Amino acid sequence: EDQVTQSPEALRLQEGESSSLNCSYTVSGLRGLFWYRQDPGKGPEFLFTLYSAGEEKEKERLKATLTKKESFLHITAPKPEDSATYLCAVQARAGKSTFGDGTTLTVKP
Amino acid sequence: ETGVTQTPRHLVMGMTNKKSLKCEQHLGHNAMYWYKQSAKKPLELMFVYNFKEQTENNSVPSRFSPECPNSSHLFLHLHTLQPEDSALYLCASSQEGTGGREQFFGPGTRLTVL
């Protein structure tokens, strides 16, 4: 059975304090690993897709990396507007997607 | 309209009511999904439609009935729900092919069952 585990469950940072979120996964044939951002009461917003180990994607203060067992979402010099829940999901070869529980990030000014 | 839209945004219903949730995607995608998101729980996949054909039903109770009349529209018909069905219901779409495909989500319908 495919599994996605995200850590930490919650992360509180001061503005400008860089950190990383972890997504560990087991999947029967990885078609893609996805990162989403979700604000309270809204639907998840797509951020990145990673397809193979060693791949990296960047967008503003966010950088996603992928190994064969885990993915990291690095946040450099975060701002309060980066506060949200970040979701990781994997899509298996058979096509089904499995989501993690998410990491809730709070950035204090 | 752009992206994925859902109506209504909020719904309060009694246990004996019948209501429907509507989702429309304006992205030209060929797959659509219904998810349930409860507090402190991960997203739960309910139904998947690929090229209008239902390809997955994750042991969802029969009081939830999906309908996909075409590749742009998806409905979730609700009847005799239970209070534990109160949650955020999310619709998503993707363009399925040989590679991994990201999903694009609507804003959700916040459902409260009294």
Side-chain angles (χ1 to χ4, degrees):
Chain A
E1 184 178 335
D2 303 332
Q3 280 193 312
V4 177
T5 303
Q6 291 188 246
S7 62
E9 184 176 326
L11 181 62
R12 295 171 66 91
L13 299 173
Q14 286 298 125
E15 185 172 3
E17 180 187 1
S18 301
S19 188
S20 297
L21 282 55
N22 177 264
C23 172
S24 297
Y25 67 91
T26 55
V27 64
S28 52
L30 180 69
R31 286 179 66 181
L33 183 142
F34 311 97
W35 283 98
Y36 296 87
R37 169 192 170 127
Q38 186 173 23
D39 292 298
K42 296 186 177 181
E45 175 189 349
F46 168 71
L47 293 174
F48 302 109
T49 305
L50 300 167
Y51 293 104
S52 58
E55 190 174 1
E56 299 181 352
K57 294 271 180 77
E58 280 190 73
K59 179 180 179 180
E60 296 181 355
R61 295 177 291 283
L62 300 177
K63 179 180 177 180
T65 62
L66 181 65
T67 72
K68 289 186 177 180
K69 294 184 179 180
E70 58 191 350
S71 176
F72 291 94
L73 185 65
H74 306 279
I75 303 177
T76 302
K79 297 182 178 182
E81 53 262 41
D82 295 322
S83 297
T85 296
Y86 290 85
L87 300 173
C88 173
V90 294
Q91 186 176 19
R93 188 181 297 119
K96 181 180 176 181
S97 290
T98 302
F99 282 79
D101 291 358
T103 293
T104 299
L105 173 66
T106 304
V107 182
K108 294 289 190 180
Chain B
E1 294 277 18
T2 59
V4 180
T5 58
Q6 289 187 244
T7 54
R9 293 295 310 279
H10 301 272
L11 179 63
V12 179
M13 58 187 290
M15 293 168 62
T16 58
N17 292 159
K18 289 185 179 181
K19 296 286 184 183
S20 296
L21 309 185
K22 178 183 176 182
C23 174
E24 184 173 1
Q25 60 97 357
H26 309 268
L27 300 168
H29 289 165
N30 57 15
M32 296 186 76
Y33 312 77
W34 279 117
Y35 287 90
K36 176 183 179 182
Q37 189 173 41
S38 304
K40 305 295 184 183
K41 288 187 177 181
L43 281 168
E44 299 175 50
L45 179 64
M46 301 176 71
F47 301 103
V48 181
Y49 277 83
N50 205 321
F51 295 98
K52 301 189 300 177
E53 299 293 324
Q54 185 175 313
T55 58
E56 190 140 359
N57 173 344
N58 268 10
S59 302
V60 179
S62 59
R63 57 186 184 269
F64 295 92
S65 174
E67 179 190 359
C68 187
N70 55 60
S71 58
S72 298
H73 294 85
L74 185 64
F75 295 89
L76 188 62
H77 304 299
L78 316 171
H79 65 97
T80 58
L81 294 190
Q82 304 298 312
E84 59 265 29
D85 296 323
S86 298
L88 182 68
Y89 288 84
L90 291 161
C91 174
S93 71
S94 69
Q95 182 62 29
E96 289 302 301
T98 54
R101 289 293 181 263
E102 57 274 8
Q103 296 178 23
F104 292 84
F105 287 82
T109 294
R110 173 67 62 184
L111 174 67
T112 303
V113 181
L114 301 177

